[in-house]
Structure formats: C-alpha cells, structure tokens
Amino acid sequence: VTAWLHVVGIGDDGLGGLPPRLRRLVESADLVVGGKRHLAMLGDLPVERLLWRTPLIDTLPEIRRRAGRRVVVLNTGDPMWYGVGELLCRELAPGEIEVHPAPSAFSLVCARLGWSMREIATISLHGRPVERLRRVLAPEARIVALSTGPETPGAVARLLVQAGYGDSRIWVLEHMGSERERRIEGIARDWSEPPVADLNTVAISCVAEDRTPRGTAPGLPDEAFRHDGMLTKREVRAITLARLMPMPRQLLWDVGAGSGAVAIEWILASGHGRAVAIEREPARVAMIRDNAEALGTPELEIVEGTAPDALNGLEPPDAVFIGGGVGEVLARCHEALRPGGRLVANVVTVEGEQALASWHARRGGELVRLQVARARPVGRLRGWRPLMAVTQYALVKR
Ligand SMILES: C[S@@+](CC[C@H](N)C(=O)[O-])C[C@H]1O[C@@H](n2cnc3c(N)ncnc32)[C@H](O)[C@@H]1O
C-alpha cells in the first residue's frame, strides 16, 4: 500500500519553508486540509481546501471519503507532538498515512535559548487548564509550554506567582521561524501583561521562593493535600504507590478516593498515566477536584458515586487501589483488572482485615501490616504517636 494521506509539518514561514519535495506534494494534492492559519499559507494555489473542525475527529469521515486520492493535512511543527498526526495515526492503518515532521515549537525554543532538549519539561497549555503547569514546577526546572493564545503568558505568570515561583524568568516567543518572530522576556512577578501575538510559546526558567522542594517520588507530605482525615498518610501512601507500580499510559481506579491523593500521585509518577477517582461524598469530590488542580493533574477523572455500581462502564484498569471498605468491591475490582494488573487494598478495621485475610487464603498475594509512629512533643520531650495500623493486601493478576 502506498500512503494516500500525507501529514505535512509546516513552520510559520509557510510553503516557502518546506523542502521542495514536500512543497510539490502540497501543490499536487487533490485536497489540502488544515486550520485557518494553514490554509491561508496556500495563497492562490489552485488546490481544493478543507478547513478542519474542532475536534478534528469530526472531519475524519470527510478525509476518509477521499481515500485513494492524494490528501495532504497541514499541521504546525511536528504533527506527532501535540499535533493532528497523533489522532490520524491512531485512526488509519499504518500503510495509509505518512508523516513529514518539521521542527516542533519545543525544538525552536531550545534552539533560540540554547537549552538542551533533554533537560526541558514539555507541556501543552493549548486548550488545556493552566493548572497543568504545576506538575512540572521544580526549583531549577526549565519548562517549555505551548500556548492557547495571547492570554496564556499572563495566565502562566499569575500561576507561577500563586505557586511560589514568582521569581521565575519567562520568555514569550512569537511566530518563531518567520519574519514576524519576536521575543518578550520578564520575571513572573513583574509581568505587565504586554500585548502578545496569537501564535506564541512560553519558556520558563523556574526559581522557587522557598526551598522546600516537592520531589517526584510518591509520598508527598500530608499537608500537600486538602483533606478531612480521609487521607492515606504519607508513609503508607509511598508504600501503596510502590505496590501499584505506576507505568506510562496505564489506568488506575482509586476506589473510595477520599482526598484523591493516591490517584494524583499515580498520575504524577506514571508519566502520561491516567486515573479515575471514585468517591461518593460530594464534599470529598470537591476536595479531590481542588487537590488535582493544586498539584497539576486537572485531568484526573472523578466519578461521584458508590462502588461497585459506580464502576459500571469504566474502562478496565491496570491497577486498582481500594482505600477503604472492601466487601464485594474487591471481587468486582479484581474481575475488572487487566492481566498483569495490580490490586492493592488498605484497611484499618478488624472486619476489613478479616475480608482481606480470607481473600489472601483463597487467592494468594501479599498481606502486610504497616505500623507507623511519628515523634511528637510530650511536654518538653518527645514520644511516639502511632497512626492507625494499616493492613495491606496486594495481588498481581496473572
Ligand atoms: C497545537 S500546538 C502544535 C504544536 C506543534 N505540533 C509543534 O510541534 O510545534 C500549537 C501551539 O504550538 C506553538 N507554536 C507552534 N509553532 C510556533 C511558532 N512558530 N512560534 C511560536 N509558537 C508556536 C504555539 O504555542 C501554538 O499554540
């Protein structure tokens, strides 16, 4: 099969910046698909054009109808990096499609600022909440963020100030690669909201105000979360996440999520992992939402409802955490797990422990008891204040 669909990455310098081979491909196309900006680059070229709709998937039937003809989809930069190539490659067979990348906005920023691509965190705020930025904030981090538009740099500056990163340096890079290229630079705290072009990318060199870093390993301090006591405490949470084994692109169900801490740390640790928090108390659902935003994981999906019914219709998980109340939920979750999936259940009650012990007897797995005590003042001296003992059951589904 030869490809009929060509996804051509294009820079802000338009057709003139394409290598001759790709330029010919565009000029000889039966149909060129793109956004407004891309189609404008065609000038008076005599080709049929189609403006894509948002979401792009709505335009797919029309593109498919041209199968066998020569179709070109124009896309900014690297179509496989926050671009339409990602969706099109998922939807079409490998032989049908060919992708021709141009340098991405990330590459262009690194080239302009002399930064190493290996050392930057890349993130898209294009049509996404600015809170996402929080998850990549770290005292010395360099971040490159794609923008939605002219409002993004100001929103980034405000978020940096709120997050205790007001001393960070910001660069706004407009229209990289074209004659209109321009750069604005400043400190987040002093950002004066200068007018910014629609097409811009933001680079950040992070400077943290206080020196209490938040690391990337699970087990964030309990104070990092808003909670009403229903929180898997730091020490137990770290062990719990280790047993859940966060992995890229995998899905966690956090059943009875409380404050959402386990689901949030799963997303933070897994790199492109996904999580669903299932919680029945509306007040806790609100806390989960706040925590997810505050920690930079606003994409956490929240299901308000009672398990096991609330689990109906959810995509099968790669890991399940049951933070309280086992009973029939355990069987239902085990059944839903994908092969190789991890099940971890923590309980603090005698009844819960009985349920886990009988599962363990029938199904194997690991049963451990976690007893943590924290040193606290006793008058002028210190004594051990024990936390409730947690019985933890863990199983890998074969
Ligand atoms: C949907 S993303 C596309 C990213 C693209 N796939 C890439 O590799 O650059 C669109 C965002 O990329 C950024 N961008 C792309 N090209 C740019 C350029 N030449 N100058 C400044 N920003 C650019 C802007 O932040 C814009 O909102």
Side-chain angles (χ1 to χ4, degrees):
V1 213
T2 43
W4 58 271
L5 185 69
H6 292 266
V7 185
V8 174
I10 193 164
D12 202 39
D13 50 355
L15 289 186
L18 288 179
R21 178 180 56 90
L22 294 180
R23 204 188 152 120
R24 279 196 299 277
L25 199 64
V26 177
E27 285 166 352
S28 63
D30 293 313
L31 177 72
V32 177
V33 187
K36 241 186 106 190
R37 213 167 53 81
H38 306 115
L39 297 183
M41 289 172 175
L42 297 174
D44 50 14
L45 207 67
V47 287
E48 199 191 331
R49 303 141 200 242
L50 174 66
L51 182 69
W52 68 44
R53 280 190 288 275
T54 343
L56 177 75
I57 189 111
D58 293 349
T59 315
L60 199 60
E62 257 163 286
I63 295 177
R64 271 193 205 283
R65 213 172 307 134
R66 313 293 178 111
R69 322 264 325 262
R70 171 103 45 100
V71 181
V72 167
V73 179
L74 288 180
N75 196 211
T76 305
D78 185 342
M80 302 309 288
W81 209 348
Y82 298 112
V84 301
E86 301 175 48
L87 173 101
L88 293 171
C89 285
R90 261 198 315 273
E91 295 292 328
L92 296 172
E96 291 186 282
I97 181 168
E98 206 171 308
V99 180
H100 311 270
S104 71
F106 302 115
S107 307
L108 292 174
V109 168
C110 283
R112 299 298 186 265
L113 300 182
W115 288 0
S116 156
M117 287 291 291
R118 281 186 290 138
E119 291 168 0
I120 58 165
T122 58
I123 180 171
S124 178
L125 303 176
H126 184 90
R128 295 179 168 84
V130 71
E131 280 73 24
R132 280 189 157 229
L133 192 57
R134 287 182 183 267
R135 77 203 269 168
V136 284
L137 293 178
E140 318 275 328
R142 285 175 166 175
I143 302 167
V144 180
L146 302 181
S147 296
T148 298
E151 68 281 18
T152 306
V156 165
R158 286 190 294 277
L159 183 123
L160 287 170
V161 173
Q162 276 170 20
Y165 282 82
D167 296 331
S168 303
R169 181 166 294 275
I170 300 178
W171 293 261
V172 179
L173 296 106
E174 300 175 338
H175 291 288
M176 286 180 289
S178 80
E179 285 165 2
R180 289 179 291 172
E181 176 157 351
R182 188 173 77 116
R183 188 196 295 188
I184 309 169
E185 187 178 337
I187 301 297
R189 182 188 317 293
D190 308 324
W191 196 253
S192 56
E193 308 267 345
V196 168
D198 278 352
L199 186 70
N200 73 82
T201 297
V202 185
I204 305 158
S205 177
C206 289
V207 179
E209 276 155 38
D210 83 43
R211 288 270 132 194
T212 4
R214 211 184 65 202
T216 50
L220 288 176
D222 295 344
E223 306 77 60
F225 303 92
R226 196 154 86 72
H227 65 91
D228 58 3
M230 271 299 179
L231 173 80
T232 302
K233 303 298 181 294
R234 176 179 203 171
E235 295 81 358
V236 173
R237 194 165 3 97
I239 294 171
T240 301
L241 263 302
R243 287 223 157 82
L244 287 169
M245 297 182 229
M247 293 186 206
R249 306 183 55 184
Q250 292 205 340
L251 175 70
L252 170 82
W253 289 359
D254 183 357
V255 184
S259 65
V262 170
I264 290 168
E265 293 213 301
W266 165 277
I267 297 178
L268 291 174
S270 60
H272 307 284
R274 298 168 298 136
V276 188
I278 298 103
E279 172 58 53
R280 71 168 165 237
E281 299 286 335
R284 292 197 183 127
V285 166
M287 276 192 305
I288 296 173
R289 207 174 301 281
D290 285 355
N291 286 328
E293 284 190 4
L295 290 155
T297 58
E299 74 271 35
L300 171 64
E301 194 187 322
I302 306 174
V303 173
E304 183 172 332
T306 305
D309 291 348
L311 305 174
N312 293 336
L314 294 182
E315 186 187 325
D318 301 285
V320 178
F321 175 59
I322 306 174
V326 276
E328 54 178 325
V329 174
L330 196 61
R332 173 75 176 76
C333 290
H334 180 260
E335 187 188 301
L337 261 188
R338 293 210 165 99
R342 288 81 63 196
L343 177 73
V344 179
N346 290 355
V347 298
V348 292
T349 63
V350 174
E351 289 73 15
E353 186 172 288
Q354 277 170 349
L356 291 185
S358 91
W359 250 80
H360 179 243
R362 282 178 290 135
R363 309 260 186 162
E366 276 185 280
L367 197 58
V368 296
R369 188 147 216 268
L370 305 171
Q371 175 72 74
V372 174
R374 291 172 174 170
R376 288 288 179 261
V378 178
R380 282 181 298 111
L381 307 175
R382 290 158 301 159
W384 293 109
R385 163 98 29 91
L387 302 176
M388 272 181 113
V390 173
T391 302
Q392 180 173 77
Y393 173 70
L395 177 80
V396 177
K397 186 169 173 179
R398 300 291 169 195

